[in-house]
Amino acid sequence: DSLTPTFSTTEEAGVQERIDAELLFEVIESALKEQDFQIWKLEKEGYKDPEIAKKLNMHPKTVANRKSMIKKTIREKLGKYNR
């Protein structure tokens, strides 16, 4: 027996993917400080560092530094869920 769910339709698989994506979003949001979450979200929306910096009234190098910390935090947080 496998613990991995199987789906009989593409629709059911799509529902599971949306649930997984929502859970991942919640895990990331809870792991990050508010400003870091905003940086992460803007990056995922396709904004570049200078654009993010302008939107959040920050220096682009600060954005780049925060993104490094954000990635580390997310890796650590997700590592706890993969054990």
Side-chain angles (χ1 to χ4, degrees), residues 25 28-49 51-58 62-64 66-67 69-71 74:
F25 188 84
I28 291 171
E29 184 177 21
S30 70
L32 299 176
K33 297 175 185 171
E34 185 176 341
Q35 190 174 54
D36 288 347
F37 180 72
Q38 291 300 318
I39 292 169
W40 177 81
K41 196 168 131 187
L42 289 168
E43 182 186 33
K44 297 307 162 209
E45 291 173 5
Y47 289 95
K48 304 294 181 206
D49 290 3
E51 298 167 313
I52 295 170
K54 187 172 183 178
K55 283 185 169 288
L56 299 179
N57 196 29
M58 303 171 82
T62 302
V63 171
R66 294 307 314 151
K67 282 173 46 179
M69 294 306 298
I70 290 165
K71 289 174 186 174
I74 290 172

